[in-house]
């Protein structure tokens, strides 16, 4: 089917694997520091960014031929700001506690380099369906890293996942202690760096040449 031709499959799948925006371009790191001390807010941020990127890509792709070149960035920002506001209001209505945990970081989706990069590099030159797949793929690729980082930070730092204790009491009775460093921002960088190292080890072509 044309909807899932080679180009469209690549637009969706590549950001989930080889061309992950966090691992290759090292984008979106700030939110990885801020919202991954627990798994739940990491998942919510991942879904929020994915929804915003995918829908924003579609809107810009639909409007791309009517947007004057000299104000295209302003139009992109207006579209993104509108979508982020809607997401923020939905979270306040249905997940107020999570919205408080994420604090200003939902609003800062507007400044996410992945989002603006995909609008400028892809949506401005491609059709809506391809742009949707590209946005969804890049959002999910970004979200995948957030979830992995949040998984290890919460597990190592709190002994829980999604708020439920997973480290048995017998471990604590035997002397096990939660790693306090895991819930501090530097651990997000450390875990992300390890993931980048593994990713580039498996893909030598991504390694910088001296």
């Amino acid at each position: 089917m044309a909807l899932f031709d080679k180009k469209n499959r690549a637009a969706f799948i590549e950001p989930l694997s080889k061309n992950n925006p966090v691992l290759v371009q090292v984008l979106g790191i700030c939110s990885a520091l801020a919202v991954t001390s627990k798994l739940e807010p990491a998942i919510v941020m991942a879904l929020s960014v994915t929804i915003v990127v995918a829908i924003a890509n579609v809107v810009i792709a639909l409007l791309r031929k009517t947007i004057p070149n000299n104000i295209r960035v302003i139009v992109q920002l207006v579209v993104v700001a509108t979508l982020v506001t809607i997401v923020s209001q939905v979270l306040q209505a249905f997940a107020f506690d999570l919205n408080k945990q994420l604090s200003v970081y939902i609003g800062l989706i507007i400044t996410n380099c992945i989002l603006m990069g995909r609008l400028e590099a892809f949506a401005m030159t491609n059709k809506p369906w391809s742009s949707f797949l590209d946005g969804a793929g890049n959002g999910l690729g970004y979200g995948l890293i957030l979830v992995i980082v949040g998984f290890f930070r919460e597990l190592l730092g709190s002994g829980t996942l999604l708020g439920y204790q997973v480290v048995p009491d017998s471990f604590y009775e035997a002397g096990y202690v939660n790693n306090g460093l895991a819930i501090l921002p530097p651990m997000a960088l450390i875990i992300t760096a390890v993931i980048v190292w593994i990713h580039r080890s498996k893909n030598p072509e991504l390694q910088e040449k001296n």
Side-chain angles (χ1 to χ4, degrees), residues 48-190:
S48 299
V49 171
T50 300
I51 291 169
V52 172
V53 179
I55 297 177
N57 261 16
V58 172
V59 173
I60 295 301
L62 288 169
L63 300 176
R64 70 188 189 284
K65 294 182 179 179
T66 63
I67 301 174
N69 189 58
N70 58 339
I71 63 166
R72 69 185 189 283
V73 175
I74 296 175
V75 174
Q76 291 167 10
L77 285 172
V78 169
V79 170
V80 172
T82 302
L83 292 171
V84 170
T85 300
I86 293 172
V87 169
S88 178
Q89 292 299 309
V90 170
L91 286 176
Q92 287 186 41
F94 298 102
F96 186 72
D97 290 339
L98 265 177
N99 187 70
K100 283 172 52 177
Q101 288 183 54
L102 293 169
S103 184
V104 300
Y105 299 107
I106 286 292
L108 289 176
I109 292 175
I110 297 170
T111 64
N112 192 305
C113 299
I114 297 171
L115 196 155
M116 296 305 296
R118 298 327 297 166
L119 294 180
E120 186 70 11
F122 198 93
M124 287 295 294
T125 56
N126 286 276
K127 294 180 179 179
W129 175 243
S130 297
S131 297
F132 171 79
L133 292 176
D134 176 80
N138 277 275
L140 291 172
Y142 159 86
L144 176 64
I145 305 304
L146 253 65
V147 169
I148 292 173
V149 174
F151 175 90
F152 285 107
R153 289 185 69 190
E154 182 174 357
L155 178 63
L156 298 176
S158 305
T160 61
L161 287 174
L162 296 175
Y164 296 98
Q165 182 176 332
V166 295
V167 176
D169 289 331
S170 58
F171 279 41
Y172 294 107
E173 293 168 1
Y176 177 82
V177 178
N178 291 327
N179 187 343
L181 175 62
I183 60 175
L184 298 177
M187 183 55 74
L189 283 179
I190 294 170

Side-chain angles (χ1 to χ4, degrees), residues 13-21 23-24 199 203-206:
I13 294 172
E14 287 189 3
L16 292 170
S17 53
K18 184 176 179 179
N19 290 324
N20 186 285
L23 303 183
V24 178
H199 182 69
N203 299 280
E205 65 275 15
L206 297 176

